[in-house]
């Protein structure tokens, strides 16, 4: 599993380089507009919403599309036209290695686990480089 989304909150510094965090969000979340497609954590989502509201108040139209590294804007728009069952099937395929957890705990918990695994792998990789 790879990170495929970049946090939209402009001041996010949770990335491994101190910049915006790269993390995983699923196709189902992208198609349904779930907060996970816009921010790496709930706090950053709320701060991003404040940025969006401030931009709108200033007369600017902010870009509200998720910043996915694996999909174009057109592909994201296309996902939003898929029927729910097709989206769930695609997401189950993406999360194949987490099938048992998906069935027992649900999508939200699995996405959290995927991102904890990615964070742990990044931390381990970084520690391995420091000798």
């Amino acid at each position: 599993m790879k990170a495929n989304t970049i946090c939209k909150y402009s001041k996010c510094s949770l990335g491994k380089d101190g910049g915006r965090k790269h993390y995983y969000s699923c196709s189902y979340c992208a198609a349904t507009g779930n907060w996970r497609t816009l921010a790496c954590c709930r706090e950053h989502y709320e701060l991003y919403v404040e940025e969006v509201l401030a931009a709108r108040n200033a007369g600017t139209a902010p870009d509200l599309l998720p910043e996915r590294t694996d999909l174009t804007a057109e592909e994201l728009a296309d996902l939003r036209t898929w029927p729910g069952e097709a989206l769930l099937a695609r997401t189950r395929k993406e999360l194949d290695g987490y099938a048992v957890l998906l069935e027992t705990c649900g999508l939200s918990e699995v996405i959290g686990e995927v991102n904890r695994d990615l964070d742990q792998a990044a931390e381990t990789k970084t520690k391995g480089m420091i000798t």
Side-chain angles (χ1 to χ4, degrees):
M1 189 70 52
K2 291 183 177 182
N4 62 3
T5 308
I6 303 170
C7 185
K8 295 276 286 190
Y9 174 51
S10 67
K11 295 179 182 82
C12 177
S13 60
L14 299 178
K16 64 182 177 183
D17 62 354
R20 292 185 303 144
K21 184 173 182 170
H22 291 237
Y23 62 98
Y24 172 78
S25 66
C26 70
S27 294
Y28 184 81
C29 292
T32 59
N34 187 286
W35 69 266
R36 291 179 186 272
T37 65
L38 296 170
C40 62
C41 62
R42 194 71 177 180
E43 179 184 0
H44 283 190
Y45 174 73
E46 292 169 6
L47 292 167
Y48 171 69
V49 168
E50 289 178 18
E51 287 181 340
V52 167
L53 294 174
R56 286 180 176 164
N57 285 337
T60 306
D63 175 15
L64 301 176
L65 282 177
E67 197 167 332
R68 291 279 297 251
T69 59
D70 62 338
L71 298 173
T72 65
E74 293 79 20
E75 290 169 325
L76 277 168
D78 181 58
L79 270 183
R80 293 181 177 184
T81 67
W82 287 33
E85 276 306 310
L87 283 169
L88 287 173
R90 177 182 170 135
T91 298
R92 282 187 194 103
K93 185 176 179 181
E94 287 176 19
L95 298 169
D96 187 46
Y98 295 84
V100 172
L101 188 61
L102 184 60
E103 293 304 317
T104 58
C105 297
L107 186 57
S108 182
E109 181 58 36
V110 170
I111 302 302
E113 185 66 23
V114 168
N115 283 304
R116 285 187 290 275
D117 289 350
L118 288 171
D119 288 346
Q120 185 177 22
E123 185 177 308
T124 300
K125 188 175 182 179
T126 302
K127 284 183 180 178
M129 294 174 66
I130 301 171
T131 55

